[in-house]
Amino acid sequence: MLQHLPEGEEGRERLHTRLDHPEWGHVAALGGSVRNDELADADLPLQTLLWRLFNEDEVRVSATLPPRKGCRCDPDHVARVIGRFPEEERAAMAGPDGRIEGNCEFCARSFAIDPVAA
């Protein structure tokens, strides 16, 4: 994934404010030149690949995190968010059983929230 982060200096144009900015084409061309075998090569460090592609540009690599399986959905957090809505809106969210159904689109877990207690 290639991502442009906004520049913080005053007076400089931010790339994300113009979809037709010429630098996007440059980045897309270099990023698009990566071959599948390079991406799948476990012996090719990320920093080496980035140097090959962007050695003339400023590149920063964030710390990597190992992938992990699982969902971070939190029914208590969802209940707190719903609790910020006015009572009449929470009542309108409730289903026929009088409870609000929360659904996590990531793990497909459902949980019921009491609109009065939220």
Side-chain angles (χ1 to χ4, degrees), residues 51-106:
W51 176 254
R52 287 182 189 172
L53 294 170
F54 301 105
N55 62 47
E56 295 180 7
D57 300 302
E58 181 181 349
V59 176
R60 291 182 217 155
V61 179
S62 300
T64 58
L65 299 172
R68 60 185 172 137
K69 182 180 177 183
C71 180
R72 298 180 290 165
C73 71
D74 180 2
D76 292 332
H77 172 71
V78 174
R80 286 190 302 273
V81 170
I82 289 174
R84 295 179 189 148
F85 286 89
E87 184 178 345
E88 56 277 357
E89 289 186 32
R90 291 194 313 263
M93 292 179 203
D97 63 353
R99 304 192 46 87
I100 299 170
E101 183 178 341
N103 297 304
C104 176
E105 297 294 329
F106 181 79

Side-chain angles (χ1 to χ4, degrees), residues 10 29 33 79 91 101-102 106 110:
E10 286 188 32
S33 69
E101 183 178 341
F106 181 79
S110 295

Side-chain angles (χ1 to χ4, degrees), residues 13 27 43 45 81 83 107:
E13 183 178 8
V27 170
D43 295 326
V81 170
C107 69

Side-chain angles (χ1 to χ4, degrees), residues 4 9 17 20 24 26 42-43 55 70 76 83 86-87 97 106 116:
H4 177 267
E9 298 85 8
T17 60
D20 64 340
W24 285 120
H26 169 73
D43 295 326
N55 62 47
D76 292 332
E87 184 178 345
D97 63 353
F106 181 79
V116 175

